[in-house]
Amino acid sequence: MRSLAGVVVSVLVLSSGVAAYDAERYAAGEELFKQCLPCHGQYGTKQSMGTNRDITKLDEQQIAKILNDYSLGRSEGAMTAKASLLDNKKIAALSTYIANMNTKYGQELFGLRCSGCHGRDGAKSAFGKSGVVARLSEQELVTVLHNYQSGTYAHGSTANAMKGRAITLNDHDVNALARYIDTIK
């Protein structure tokens, strides 16, 4: 019998775009990522050891290759010691989690801040006046949200409401929202 926490994780993971067979691997990766927090931060976007690599911009295969190279000693640096403790199963779990963690965060953020006006699937025109956000690409969404933040996107009757919401978002929030909305098309 599965625990309630396991069911909740599975539902969140399944609804955020991670394949059903990856749900357990995702949960294992989430647990493993706790060891990565000091250097990479909660969202994997923290500048680590003087680098400016946002590891969440990498896909699952890229992450697995990097971790594998460190674990086998093919790459040198601060990651070598930590990665040497990872076997293939742990590398796969971490790769799945890191590649999908911002989509999950974006989904949670969308549910809290956007779905009331744009609908659960982003296919609703807010107040019958806005565009449908689910039709926009990830880059278009980032641009639109930044334009709302700066006040350069000020046309339409919903512009003031959107600006008020957009200015509360940091860059990580904007990117996570855009990445999630791009997955619900």
Side-chain angles (χ1 to χ4, degrees):
M1 188 165 123
R2 295 178 74 181
S3 70
L4 179 59
V7 171
V8 170
V9 167
S10 295
V11 169
L12 285 172
V13 170
L14 291 173
S15 64
S16 68
V18 180
Y21 63 88
D22 288 343
E24 286 183 29
R25 188 166 64 192
Y26 180 91
E30 185 172 28
E31 186 63 31
L32 286 166
F33 190 76
K34 291 176 182 175
Q35 300 297 311
C36 309
L37 293 175
C39 294
H40 293 286
Q42 181 179 1
Y43 304 113
T45 57
K46 182 178 172 187
Q47 289 188 3
S48 178
M49 304 296 182
T51 67
N52 61 0
R53 175 179 283 177
D54 176 350
I55 61 174
T56 66
K57 300 270 188 206
L58 303 172
D59 65 32
E60 224 171 302
Q61 291 76 27
Q62 292 169 315
I63 296 164
K65 180 181 181 334
I66 290 167
L67 289 173
N68 195 43
D69 286 349
Y70 274 117
S71 74
L72 297 173
R74 291 186 210 144
S75 295
E76 294 180 12
M79 281 287 301
T80 305
K82 287 279 190 190
S84 68
L85 304 173
L86 301 174
D87 58 22
N88 287 339
K89 187 175 180 179
K90 289 178 180 176
I91 288 173
L94 268 172
S95 300
T96 297
Y97 176 72
I98 293 167
N100 293 288
M101 70 184 190
N102 277 335
T103 302
K104 178 183 170 192
Y105 175 70
Q107 177 187 20
E108 292 167 359
L109 197 57
F110 185 86
L112 291 171
R113 297 201 181 172
C114 310
S115 65
C117 296
H118 292 286
R120 288 181 355 148
D121 59 359
K124 182 179 171 187
S125 172
F127 308 109
K129 298 179 189 269
S130 76
V132 175
V133 296
R135 291 183 185 153
L136 301 174
S137 71
E138 182 176 344
Q139 187 53 52
E140 289 170 321
L141 288 159
V142 168
T143 300
V144 166
L145 287 170
H146 284 302
N147 287 342
Y148 274 122
Q149 289 175 323
S150 68
T152 57
Y153 190 85
H155 64 279
S157 59
T158 59
N160 286 335
M162 270 304 299
K163 181 177 181 176
R165 291 203 177 261
I167 61 174
T168 66
L169 303 172
N170 61 35
D171 284 343
H172 176 259
D173 295 341
V174 168
N175 291 329
L177 274 170
R179 189 171 297 163
Y180 168 68
I181 293 168
D182 194 48
T183 68
I184 59 174
K185 292 183 178 186

